[in-house]
Amino acid sequence: MVFIDACFRQETPYTPIWLMRQAGRYLSEYQGVRQKTKNFLDLCANVVLATEVTLQPIEILDVDAAILFSDILLLPHAMGLPLEFVPSFGPKFLDTIKSLEDIKALKRGAYKDLGYVYEIVSNVRSKLDKSKALIGFSGAPWTLATYMLEGQGSKTYSRSKKILYAQPEVAHALLEALSIEIISYLDAQARAGANALMLFDSWAGALELEAYLEFGWDYIQKITKALKTKHPKVPLIVFPKGVGTYLAHLKGDFEVFGCGWDTPLEHAKEVLGDRYVLQGNLEPARLYSQEAMRNGIEHILEVMGKKAGLIFNLGHGMLPDLPRSNALELVRLVREISRR
Ligand code: 1CP
């Protein structure tokens, strides 16, 4: 698999590419399947349909990796927090974590209740071409904790930060409980057939450096260390979004460092050197214009060169109103320009 070889910095015939949120509303085929279920959670739990939408970007875009169709919030939901995806609003937890008692009441071993996720993984793997990789994933503890403390997406993260600074022992209890679940959850995905595992820390950039190291990165290090021991051949990808200025501090047992569009790759390359393969980081909004997109692709490939060390991706997820024709063109161009 070109994608897996590239994760381990082996030379490949071209730079592999996949796109964050490559399955989603910008694809009419996704919308067609989505309409068959009442809500988004039903789609995530439907083995046949979730398999179908996981495979759509492989068939339509010919990307090098599929990513499990699911959501990072299924794990907190399984731990006991009722979750809804409200149309044109987003995820909403009907209960939030307010105290140590609430954390004690969370279900332990909740990953066992997500059997359908592992079924989707193994079903996709059995249908996927041998040359294509399947990525399993989880939210990182800090990002999951923000949703559990805020109840929904946040601009200020004030509830989460209040706990972090005023009751750090409560924050650590929650992050610890999440970390234990995440290790088992990702381990189970790898055992079901996932070829690579990714941790999304989408809201890493909400924290100052010292707080991020203590409440965010430290847990990512523990998780990747545990998984690396269990699955040395499964590459690990971390994506801490918005922490470009902290890079020198972010060391750990993983192969691929995902860069958000806010982190210039020149900078990541300079600070991280050859420590990790980089993944990223085209600003998704560049796909609104063919010219902006082409310039962005050429710049990234020029900075990273044609040697191993890059997995091409967007610097955050596909937006629902991006033209699919440009997503197709993106994959074609990256393959053409990067061919060795
Ligand atoms: O049909 C719909 O409108 C639902 C939209 C949608 C989709 C397609 C949501 C709701 N989640 C997903 C799938 C999803 N989410 C995938 C798999 C598909 C793929 O990548 O192709 C993955 C990996 C995620 C991960 C995810 N969910 C993250 C981390 C990545 C990121 O974007 O930063 C986060 C933060 C979420 C929470 C979430 N789920 C859905 C939304 C709209 C959000 C973000 C809400 C917010 O901004 O707070």
Side-chain angles (χ1 to χ4, degrees):
M1 290 178 223
V2 174
F3 174 83
I4 299 297
D5 289 347
C7 289
F8 287 115
R9 202 184 282 279
Q10 284 163 16
E11 296 299 337
T12 51
Y14 57 86
T15 300
I17 176 169
W18 68 282
L19 309 177
M20 286 190 274
R21 288 277 169 100
Q22 63 191 13
R25 277 183 295 173
Y26 79 102
L27 293 178
S28 52
E29 291 85 344
Y30 169 81
Q31 288 178 339
V33 176
R34 173 72 186 77
Q35 275 163 17
K36 292 185 192 169
T37 60
K38 209 164 72 218
N39 59 54
F40 176 69
L41 280 175
D42 290 341
L43 176 56
C44 292
N46 185 312
V47 176
V48 172
L49 297 182
T51 299
E52 189 180 338
V53 290
T54 303
L55 292 169
Q56 280 175 349
I58 295 278
E59 284 147 19
I60 298 165
L61 304 176
D62 190 31
V63 283
D64 295 286
I67 182 161
L68 161 72
F69 187 82
S70 191
D71 196 83
I72 60 167
L73 300 178
L74 295 184
L75 190 60
H77 181 49
M79 290 175 85
L81 287 190
L83 171 67
E84 265 181 26
F85 281 87
V86 184
S88 61
F89 172 78
K92 205 169 170 74
F93 282 108
L94 307 176
D95 248 342
T96 55
I97 298 290
K98 293 173 211 72
S99 65
L100 215 45
E101 283 63 47
D102 293 342
I103 298 166
K104 287 198 185 118
L106 288 172
K107 181 163 184 178
R108 303 311 201 265
Y111 75 93
K112 290 181 200 150
D113 295 347
L114 293 167
Y116 59 83
V117 171
Y118 319 128
E119 255 185 80
I120 297 164
V121 168
S122 102
N123 202 23
V124 170
R125 191 53 271 177
S126 71
K127 294 188 158 67
L128 198 56
D129 192 276
K130 283 191 180 61
S131 66
K132 308 287 189 185
L134 173 59
I135 304 168
F137 71 90
S138 169
W142 159 248
T143 290
L144 294 185
T146 64
Y147 285 100
M148 298 168 87
L149 295 163
E150 310 280 341
Q152 59 191 57
S154 171
K155 284 202 168 75
T156 59
Y157 303 91
S158 53
R159 290 187 194 198
S160 318
K161 290 189 182 186
K162 190 171 173 187
I163 299 264
L164 240 62
Y165 290 102
Q167 294 176 284
E169 68 290 353
V170 176
H172 280 302
L174 177 58
L175 294 162
E176 183 69 36
L178 280 166
S179 300
I180 292 167
E181 288 297 327
I182 291 167
I183 292 168
S184 302
Y185 185 45
L186 290 175
D187 172 44
Q189 292 182 37
R191 284 189 284 113
N195 307 107
L197 297 170
M198 176 154 169
L199 276 172
F200 285 93
D201 210 357
S202 305
W203 314 137
L207 294 177
E208 60 167 324
L209 173 62
E210 202 186 325
Y212 185 60
L213 294 179
E214 179 180 344
F215 297 99
W217 192 256
D218 191 44
Y219 291 96
I220 289 189
Q221 280 184 319
K222 285 182 187 148
I223 293 167
T224 55
K225 193 166 178 210
L227 289 167
K228 207 67 261 175
T229 317
K230 285 182 207 276
H231 302 284
K233 290 189 177 145
V234 175
L236 303 177
I237 310 167
V238 300
F239 178 59
K241 173 104 189 356
V243 292
T245 52
Y246 306 167
L247 294 185
H249 302 269
L250 305 183
K251 295 182 183 153
D253 289 327
F254 53 87
E255 283 73 24
V256 182
F257 193 100
C259 292
W261 53 261
D262 47 90
T263 304
L265 280 185
E266 298 79 328
H267 172 70
K269 199 177 164 197
E270 189 187 318
V271 178
L272 298 175
D274 288 342
R275 203 188 299 152
Y276 311 116
V277 166
L278 301 182
Q279 176 174 277
N281 78 345
L282 188 73
E283 153 68 274
R286 280 188 180 265
L287 271 69
Y288 286 120
S289 145
Q290 270 202 30
E291 196 192 344
M293 179 176 84
R294 193 179 176 109
N295 291 340
I297 297 169
E298 283 172 352
H299 179 72
I300 289 172
L301 292 175
E302 209 173 283
V303 170
M304 297 305 294
K306 286 199 175 187
K307 286 215 301 243
L310 175 69
I311 289 161
F312 205 101
N313 204 319
L314 300 175
H316 209 167
M318 264 312 268
L319 302 164
D321 64 342
L322 286 173
R324 71 185 272 151
S325 56
N326 285 356
L328 281 162
E329 180 69 358
L330 165 62
V331 177
R332 195 191 67 74
L333 273 174
V334 168
R335 218 159 266 161
E336 180 188 292
I337 302 173
S338 70
R339 197 160 285 282
R340 331 295 199 217

